[in-house]
């Protein structure tokens, strides 16, 4: 369980000559009662792991689509404890690794020791905290490590090579390579040189490198995947769920399995 489960899932996909696909959904969007049903859908559809967002009132990294999903979730009464309690119900039958994406404030309010312990009990395998710089991560990293939970670090387009090296050295599970300067959301194009940026991170990191922020079409999944180990897709997944477009989600996941050479 935990970080070993997440790493093994990624390694299995890559060893099969495919690319990693991690969808993002907002926990509690549509109500917590359907959370485990949605997790099962993504497991059955072939997702490598699932990134599960925790709603927060000040989501500084999130674009409009994810912000709106968070608002819907908060209005439905979703809490961090409620999410963990719901995840615990299917812990033993769930095969897909679960990665929580949360800001530091909910963890601080919950209590770092209690949070790490309850994550382990709920079967959480990894954590992404976008507003936690590596200089301050010791406030939670030790607790997560003690409960065998991966702390996944993010690298930005603006990160220096020296900082990327430090992030790559510390990250667990995978390295999240942010492909835009700004917040999440659907993009039609990427900045020039994005392929070189991803290849450089891939060269530095011993952990798998996943590209995220702005990935929204099967073509973008294929294009970005040739430069790294796979992708994270959020806003577009939420849009498809809102519209009950489950076949479109399957097409995105399948694109990672048939990635093709392209030019960026």
């Amino acid at each position: 369980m935990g970080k070993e489960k997440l790493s093994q899932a990624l390694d299995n996909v890559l060893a099969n000559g495919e690319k990693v696909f991690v969808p993002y959904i907002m926990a509690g969007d549509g109500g917590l009662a359907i959370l485990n049903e949605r997790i099962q859908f993504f497991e059955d559809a072939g997702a490598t792991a699932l990134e599960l967002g925790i709603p927060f009132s000040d989501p500084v990294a999130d674009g409009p689509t994810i912000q709106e999903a968070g608002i819907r979730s908060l209005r439905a009464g979703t809490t961090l404890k409620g999410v963990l309690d719901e995840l615990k119900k299917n812990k033993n039958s769930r095969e897909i690794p679960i990665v929580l994406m949360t800001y530091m404030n909910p963890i601080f309010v919950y209590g770092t020791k209690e949070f790490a312990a309850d994550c382990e009990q709920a079967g959480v395998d990894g954590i992404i905290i976008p507003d936690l710089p590596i200089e301050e991560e010791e406030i939670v990293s030790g607790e997560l490590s003690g409960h065998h939970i991966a702390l996944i670090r993010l690298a930005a387009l603006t990160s220096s090579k020296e900082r990327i090296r430090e992030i790559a050295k510390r990250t667990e599970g995978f390295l999240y390579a942010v492909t835009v300067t700004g917040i999440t959301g659907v993009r039609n194009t990427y900045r020039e040189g994005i392929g070189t940026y991803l290849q450089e991170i891939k060269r530095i990191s011993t952990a798998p490198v996943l590209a995220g922020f702005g990935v929204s079409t099967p073509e973008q999944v294929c294009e970005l995947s040739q430069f790294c180990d796979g992708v994270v897709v959020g806003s577009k997944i939420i849009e498809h769920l809102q519209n009950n477009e489950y076949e479109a989600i399957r097409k995105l996941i399948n694109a990672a399995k048939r990635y093709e050479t392209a030019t960026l």
Side-chain angles (χ1 to χ4, degrees), residues 23-95:
Y24 168 101
I25 64 172
M26 178 63 69
D29 185 16
L32 280 179
I34 65 169
L35 177 59
N36 284 312
E37 177 184 331
R38 284 190 167 172
I39 291 172
Q40 189 62 51
F41 163 75
F42 284 104
E43 182 174 311
D44 294 342
T48 311
L50 179 66
E51 184 181 343
L52 192 60
I54 301 299
F56 180 51
S57 58
D58 189 21
V60 294
D62 296 333
T65 298
I66 294 179
Q67 284 189 27
E68 290 165 8
I71 290 170
R72 291 192 297 267
S73 180
L74 288 171
R75 286 176 176 168
T78 303
T79 64
L80 176 53
K81 186 179 187 307
V83 173
L84 293 175
D85 287 345
E86 196 65 27
L87 287 173
K88 190 175 181 180
K89 294 177 182 178
N90 284 28
K91 172 185 176 181
N92 294 325
S93 60
R94 184 173 60 237
E95 294 186 8

Side-chain angles (χ1 to χ4, degrees), residues 11-248:
D11 289 346
N12 289 345
V13 168
L14 296 172
N16 199 37
E18 299 176 352
K19 294 292 183 171
V20 171
F21 188 98
V22 178
Y24 168 101
I25 64 172
M26 178 63 69
D29 185 16
L32 280 179
I34 65 169
L35 177 59
N36 284 312
E37 177 184 331
R38 284 190 167 172
I39 291 172
Q40 189 62 51
F41 163 75
F42 284 104
E43 182 174 311
D44 294 342
T48 311
L50 179 66
E51 184 181 343
L52 192 60
I54 301 299
F56 180 51
S57 58
D58 189 21
V60 294
D62 296 333
T65 298
I66 294 179
Q67 284 189 27
E68 290 165 8
I71 290 170
R72 291 192 297 267
S73 180
L74 288 171
R75 286 176 176 168
T78 303
T79 64
L80 176 53
K81 186 179 187 307
V83 173
L84 293 175
D85 287 345
E86 196 65 27
L87 287 173
K88 190 175 181 180
K89 294 177 182 178
N90 284 28
K91 172 185 176 181
N92 294 325
S93 60
R94 184 173 60 237
E95 294 186 8
I96 188 170
I98 299 295
V99 174
L100 291 191
M101 200 295 284
T102 180
Y103 294 92
M104 191 58 213
N105 185 267
I107 299 175
F108 182 77
V109 172
Y110 199 102
T112 55
K113 291 183 179 180
E114 295 82 357
F115 172 73
D118 287 355
C119 279
E120 182 179 23
Q121 288 297 312
V124 172
D125 304 291
I127 305 289
I128 298 170
I129 311 173
D131 61 344
L132 180 66
I134 56 176
E135 291 82 5
E136 300 177 16
E137 64 183 27
E138 67 274 4
I139 61 178
V140 69
S141 59
E143 295 294 341
L144 293 176
S145 180
H147 290 277
H148 315 290
I149 298 167
L151 179 55
I152 297 157
R153 279 75 166 185
L154 298 93
L157 282 166
T158 53
S159 298
S160 66
K161 286 187 179 180
E162 291 73 19
R163 188 170 185 83
I164 290 174
R165 288 191 187 96
E166 185 61 29
I167 291 168
K169 183 169 67 175
R170 297 187 185 205
T171 199
E172 299 169 320
F174 62 88
L175 193 157
Y176 196 136
V178 178
T179 56
V180 300
T181 50
I183 56 177
T184 64
V186 173
R187 262 77 168 183
N188 293 322
T189 59
Y190 292 94
R191 63 182 284 178
E192 185 178 353
I194 192 69
T196 302
Y197 158 75
L198 291 172
Q199 287 176 320
E200 179 65 15
I201 296 179
K202 176 78 176 131
R203 186 186 66 79
I204 293 171
S205 177
T206 57
V209 176
L210 305 189
F213 282 46
V215 186
S216 60
T217 69
E219 291 75 21
Q220 288 175 339
V221 171
C222 291
E223 289 170 356
L224 292 174
S225 290
Q226 68 173 310
F227 301 111
C228 58
D229 297 299
V231 296
V232 179
V233 180
S235 296
K236 200 63 180 180
I237 293 289
I238 290 174
E239 288 180 11
H240 286 323
L241 286 175
Q242 280 290 101
N243 297 322
N244 295 312
E245 295 168 343
Y246 293 97
E247 188 56 37

